[in-house]
Amino acid sequence: MIKAFKYQLQPTKEQEVLLNNHFGCSRFVWNWALSEKMKAYQLDKTNLSRYDLQARLPIMKKQEEYSWLKEVNSLAIQSKLEDLDKAYTAFYKKKSDYPKFKSKKNKQSFRVPQNTKVDWDNKRVVIPKFLEGIKFDAHRKFEGKTSSSFVSKTPTGKYFISILVEDGKELPSKPKIEETKTIGIDLGISYFATISNGKKIDNPRLLKIKLDRIRRESKRLTRKQKESNNRNKQRIKLAKLHEQVANSRKDFQHKLSYKLTHDNQVDTIVMETLSIKNMMKNKKLSRHISDCSWYQFQTFLKYKCEWYGKNFIQIGKFEPSSKLCSCGKINNELTLKDRVWTCKNCGKTHDRDILASNNIKQIGLGQPKSKPVEISNSKSMKQETSKSL
């Protein structure tokens, strides 16, 4: 089993300079490679591969203009070419946007493909070009063979390293899917999650708590003179607020996903695929949807299900989960504000979120309570934002 362990680094001043050189060189190689690929395609429709670009790096290093590239680990900057190649592949498969140029104002990172070692006695991690080791916060110890590592720097100036470890353990076998040990989860905004057993998880609304302060600090940032020390101090102050929100959100979602995957009465979890990118186009709900970070929660839940031997099922994005009555009638007249509705066919009254979570469970098991008697057309298909209020 491969796991990633993340630690905060505590580099010396000299090590900070060398780390920043790695960030700068990696960022330069990414931007240079992206520019070369764009020029080649615009000139004669040529698609440069990572190997074409990698062959040019030794030539560049021999030039006095780019001799500073020799100061950093060569594998670290070469890995940026591989990352760019993956970004293009994701773009062609329509899984992400076109690759963008990187800025030094955002999060910085570089990857170390091999030769990462950990000295637990002295609490130091050793990577190429840092043979004396970088001190780190060894808050938990792992056992296994290290492979690659990922070094990053946050906008607040903190350094982290994420180490991939092969612990030699096999993933646990998954139990047989049974309806009695299956739950459906419907994600929303009023309640972060509604479970098919009737339980509702409150939405902490972490961004909303600090939104007023974030707005004040953002306004102060715009008033600072560009490129000044005061502006940089204010930028860090604002970044810390966003970091607090992100950390609190991760803490909440980690605890919730752990609790769900450690319930002895649950062997299977069913969720629906969300079109979050399309949902974000709703200007009235986009900030609330972003604050929930549903995709991150689904990611946490997926890998925890793999680690702890639980079944994870995702149903299609166009399943009418909140509009489908137990009698089989689909209510296409349902609007965003309708949180409770009564079926005109059978007269049953439904809590929209609980109904959706139960329908998600039944659709995931492939055992709908009843066959829909009406099919939605493309214009009236369920929009994911229907669960957002």
Side-chain angles (χ1 to χ4, degrees):
M1 188 188 306
I2 299 177
K3 290 187 176 183
F5 294 83
K6 190 173 183 179
Y7 304 95
Q8 184 171 353
L9 296 175
Q10 300 169 357
T12 62
K13 293 295 183 181
E14 294 76 12
Q15 289 174 338
E16 282 189 19
V17 173
L18 187 52
L19 284 172
N20 289 327
N21 287 345
H22 277 76
F23 296 136
C25 291
S26 299
R27 184 177 63 250
F28 167 80
V29 170
W30 170 283
N31 292 340
W32 165 79
L34 178 57
S35 177
E36 291 297 308
K37 287 175 73 72
M38 293 173 63
K39 289 178 183 177
Y41 186 79
Q42 292 172 357
L43 185 63
D44 54 5
K45 304 296 181 181
T46 301
N47 287 319
L48 294 177
S49 68
R50 53 173 286 203
Y51 302 104
D52 296 327
L53 296 167
Q54 188 171 312
R56 300 183 187 180
L57 285 178
I59 301 175
M60 289 178 60
K61 290 180 180 180
K62 293 180 181 179
Q63 301 176 16
E64 185 177 354
E65 183 181 1
Y66 302 109
S67 59
W68 40 270
L69 289 173
K70 299 178 183 179
E71 299 176 3
V72 302
N73 180 19
S74 59
L75 294 180
I77 59 177
Q78 287 178 18
S79 65
K80 280 298 177 182
L81 301 178
E82 182 181 356
D83 294 341
L84 180 61
D85 197 51
K86 291 179 180 178
Y88 265 94
T89 301
F91 169 71
Y92 291 137
K93 291 183 178 180
K94 297 183 179 180
K95 293 183 178 180
S96 66
D97 296 330
Y98 190 82
K100 298 179 181 179
F101 292 99
K102 294 186 180 294
S103 170
K104 64 180 179 179
K105 295 181 181 180
N106 300 326
K107 182 179 178 180
Q108 307 297 307
S109 64
F110 68 89
R111 185 156 52 89
V112 183
Q114 58 188 21
N115 297 326
T116 299
K117 301 177 182 179
V118 179
D119 183 356
W120 294 108
D121 295 332
N122 298 313
K123 296 184 179 181
R124 293 182 178 273
V125 58
V126 180
I127 58 177
K129 296 292 183 178
F130 297 86
L131 300 181
E132 72 280 7
I134 307 174
K135 191 176 180 181
F136 74 105
D137 182 13
H139 61 280
R140 56 176 173 168
K141 190 174 182 179
F142 61 78
E143 294 181 358
K145 183 180 180 181
T146 60
S147 54
S148 62
S149 59
F150 186 82
V151 183
S152 60
K153 180 183 178 181
T154 65
T156 57
K158 297 177 182 177
Y159 297 88
F160 291 90
I161 185 168
S162 181
I163 306 173
L164 282 181
V165 180
E166 173 59 64
D167 59 11
K169 299 178 182 179
E170 296 292 332
L171 288 171
S173 59
K174 297 181 180 178
K176 182 180 178 181
I177 298 176
E178 299 179 11
E179 184 176 0
T180 55
K181 291 190 174 183
T182 300
I183 59 171
I185 300 177
D186 178 62
L187 300 178
I189 291 180
S190 294
Y191 292 96
F192 179 79
T194 303
I195 306 175
S196 55
N197 58 16
K199 186 176 182 180
K200 293 186 176 183
I201 309 299
D202 290 331
N203 185 359
R205 300 180 183 269
L206 297 164
L207 178 61
K208 185 178 180 180
I209 294 173
K210 291 186 178 293
L211 188 58
D212 290 340
R213 188 177 175 188
I214 288 175
R215 284 172 173 167
R216 288 197 303 270
E217 299 302 337
S218 297
K219 187 176 290 186
R220 290 172 182 171
L221 179 64
T222 60
R223 294 170 179 170
K224 303 296 182 182
Q225 185 177 350
K226 290 186 177 181
E227 306 300 331
S228 66
N229 289 332
N230 285 336
R231 184 181 179 87
N232 187 52
K233 292 177 183 178
Q234 184 63 29
R235 178 192 63 78
I236 295 175
K237 192 174 182 179
L238 178 61
K240 285 182 178 179
L241 288 175
H242 285 289
E243 185 177 77
Q244 290 171 7
V245 173
N247 289 342
S248 298
R249 185 184 296 122
K250 285 182 179 179
D251 180 69
F252 163 74
Q253 294 186 358
H254 271 302
K255 289 177 179 177
L256 178 58
S257 57
Y258 183 87
K259 183 178 180 180
L260 291 171
T261 53
H262 281 72
D263 189 341
N264 293 331
Q265 304 301 317
V266 176
D267 285 340
T268 304
I269 298 174
V270 186
M271 299 184 74
E272 61 182 332
T273 303
L274 301 176
S275 297
I276 298 176
K277 186 175 181 180
N278 292 333
M279 295 162 65
M280 291 292 289
K281 294 178 182 179
N282 188 323
K283 295 181 180 179
K284 294 182 179 180
L285 298 176
S286 58
R287 189 181 74 240
H288 303 289
I289 294 170
S290 177
D291 189 18
C292 289
S293 192
W294 294 324
Y295 181 80
Q296 177 178 267
F297 176 70
Q298 285 188 338
T299 302
F300 291 168
L301 203 54
K302 282 180 184 178
Y303 78 71
K304 284 185 174 66
C305 284
E306 290 293 323
W307 284 3
Y308 305 121
K310 303 288 184 177
N311 297 295
F312 184 86
I313 301 174
Q314 270 190 294
I315 68 173
K317 64 179 71 175
F318 294 120
E319 299 288 354
S321 58
S322 60
K323 297 181 179 181
L324 177 62
C325 178
S326 56
C327 70
K329 181 69 175 180
I330 297 178
N331 184 3
N332 287 318
E333 298 177 357
L334 207 62
T335 61
L336 291 174
K337 64 181 180 180
D338 298 325
R339 309 317 301 170
V340 178
W341 62 278
T342 302
C343 179
K344 296 180 180 180
N345 186 48
C346 65
K348 289 184 179 179
T349 300
H350 300 286
D351 180 298
R352 182 184 186 132
D353 296 329
I354 294 179
L355 175 66
S357 60
N358 277 284
N359 285 336
I360 289 170
K361 172 184 174 179
Q362 296 299 325
I363 295 171
L365 292 173
Q367 301 173 353
K369 293 181 180 179
S370 55
K371 187 177 180 180
V373 297
E374 180 182 348
I375 304 299
S376 312
N377 58 37
S378 58
K379 291 184 179 179
S380 61
M381 280 184 177
K382 173 192 170 188
Q383 298 296 318
E384 299 300 337
T385 50
S386 64
K387 311 186 281 81
S388 302
L389 292 177

